Amino acid sequence: MADAGDSLKTLAEVVAETAPAELVADGFLTVVSAIADGAKHVSGLTRRAGLAGMLGDTGEVNVQGEIVQVLDAAGTDAFVTSLRDCGVVAALACEELEDAVFVSDAADHPYIVLFDPVDGSNNIDVAVTIGSIFAVYRRSDDSAVTETSLLRPGREQCAAVYFVYGSSTVMVVATEGRVDGFTLEPTSGEFLHSHDQIQIPSQCAAYSVNEGNQSKWFPGMQAAVADLRAEYGLRYVGSLVADFHRDLLKGGIFLYPGDVKSPGGKLRLGYEANPLCFVAEQAGGAGTTGTERILDVQPKLLHQRTPLIVGNADVVERVVAKLAE
Ligand code: AHM
Ligand code: MG
């Protein structure tokens, strides 16, 4: 029986045809392929986690103060290796590593990548959807790359990529004005073009927040979520990338606010908020801290955290207005 996948374009074909010409000329396909290769490896480990020794933790604590899961460490190794060795990445930074990795200052290494290798680590051991998230920048000039070169506002991203390792493995690639989805065909190992030019649906279908934190929220956020609760259903996976992916395809809003315990929020600006807000904006959505567009925040620290509200633009606006009351 013919499979629908037989007629679908590959990731390489779509990127070559649709990515901005100046990116393609500068090796963009090489970066995207390096990211995809790492993700295929992580997807394979995820699918047989309990058989491949990928459950449990390493006993170590990372720079975020979080216990490192075995898959976090394996994912970090896979993506650091594929990006460092791909030949066009100047520097990279990862949620799991305290320091950035500097690869080359040569002009033919024009890309900088910030990433979360395994998002939703708490869900690994219970076989719930997890993912990986990437922010891609072009160097602003040919001068030596330092940690300051990595502290870029999200609006300067040239692309953002994420993966969900869920009921299928899906890759989403966003460049200026365009978002496409690709599904991993397990037999050939190819990502095939399954979601053409994604736009967030105009109707918000659900809100997504850890309601267990309600007592710690500031009064404005309590009022804003009460407003959402009165109108929408609740969906919360507890893996940001999975919650975001559902919102992108079905309409929705995701919130992880600051609270009295962590006023600066939990999620990371560079590895999580910036890339997902870039995707959201290219798909017609919006992302904010509550007072500022996420993509305009000037990072001061590599591992900076941020409050995050992202999804349907009109509903994000409604939350911002409630917070300002
Ligand atoms: P991480 O697994 O990369 O450390 O990400 C943090 C995760 C997000 O995926 C998710 O949205 C959030 O933390 C869930 O937090 P909580 O368990 O506090 O609701
Ligand atoms: Mg994460």
Side-chain angles (χ1 to χ4, degrees):
M1 197 176 84
D3 191 286
D6 293 345
S7 58
L8 298 177
K9 289 186 176 172
T10 63
L11 172 68
E13 287 168 338
V14 174
V15 169
E17 282 170 21
T18 66
E22 68 276 15
L23 293 188
V24 176
D26 260 354
F28 181 62
L29 183 53
T30 304
V31 187
V32 172
S33 301
I35 292 172
D37 286 347
K40 281 181 216 172
H41 182 66
V42 174
S43 178
L45 293 177
T46 302
R47 297 281 166 237
R48 51 195 172 83
L51 310 173
M54 287 293 134
L55 300 184
D57 62 69
T58 62
E60 315 224 312
V61 174
N62 68 12
V63 59
Q64 319 288 337
E66 296 162 349
I67 295 168
V68 179
Q69 303 298 307
V70 176
L71 190 64
D72 286 328
T76 302
D77 283 352
F79 290 118
V80 168
T81 303
S82 64
L83 287 166
R84 189 192 55 209
D85 296 347
C86 78
V88 293
V89 170
L92 50 99
C94 164
E95 186 182 300
E96 296 293 331
L97 301 176
E98 183 162 5
D99 299 317
V101 176
F102 296 100
V103 183
S104 170
D105 286 337
D108 61 355
H109 286 62
Y111 292 99
I112 289 172
V113 183
L114 274 63
F115 63 98
D116 179 357
V118 177
D119 177 60
S121 304
N122 285 331
N123 279 329
I124 297 168
D125 287 0
V126 291
V128 170
T129 300
I130 55 175
S132 307
I133 313 173
F134 300 81
V136 183
Y137 296 84
R138 264 149 68 99
R139 281 164 70 183
S140 32
D141 54 47
D142 287 347
S143 59
V145 181
T146 64
E147 189 166 313
T148 313
S149 323
L150 279 67
L151 301 179
R152 307 264 296 271
R155 64 171 180 273
E156 294 183 5
Q157 289 169 97
C158 63
V161 176
Y162 72 78
F163 300 84
V164 280
Y165 313 114
S167 54
S168 53
T169 292
V170 173
M171 174 181 193
V172 171
V173 180
T175 51
E176 192 67 43
R178 184 171 177 125
V179 182
D180 290 276
F182 302 84
T183 300
L184 182 62
E185 205 294 305
T187 313
S188 65
E190 287 278 4
F191 279 101
L192 299 178
H193 193 206
S194 48
H195 300 69
D196 187 35
Q197 300 183 70
I198 300 169
Q199 283 287 303
I200 190 164
S202 56
Q203 279 299 313
C204 174
Y207 76 103
S208 188
V209 69
N210 186 339
E211 286 271 4
N213 292 334
Q214 199 187 150
S215 62
K216 291 185 275 169
W217 295 337
F218 296 108
M221 184 52 67
Q222 291 185 347
V225 175
D227 182 49
L228 297 174
R229 200 181 292 128
E231 184 162 345
Y232 303 111
L234 168 67
R235 295 283 183 275
Y236 192 71
V237 176
S239 297
L240 167 66
V241 71
D243 282 309
F244 177 84
H245 188 60
R246 184 199 54 249
D247 293 344
L248 182 72
L249 297 186
K250 297 198 163 186
I253 182 167
F254 174 92
L255 308 92
Y256 209 113
D259 58 31
V260 291
K261 218 171 134 207
S262 309
K266 173 181 182 179
L267 300 173
R268 272 62 40 146
L269 175 64
Y271 315 118
E272 295 165 322
N274 269 337
L276 295 185
C277 288
F278 182 85
V279 176
E281 287 201 7
Q282 309 318 308
T288 175
T289 63
T291 54
E292 185 179 7
R293 178 187 178 218
I294 288 279
L295 298 187
D296 283 341
V297 176
Q298 174 59 56
K300 295 188 181 67
L301 301 167
L302 198 51
H303 297 290
Q304 187 164 323
R305 295 177 191 259
T306 181
L308 173 64
I309 302 164
V310 60
N312 281 80
D314 58 334
V315 188
V316 169
E317 233 1 270
R318 178 166 151 181
V319 170
V320 169
K322 248 328 190 203
L323 293 175
E325 274 177 13

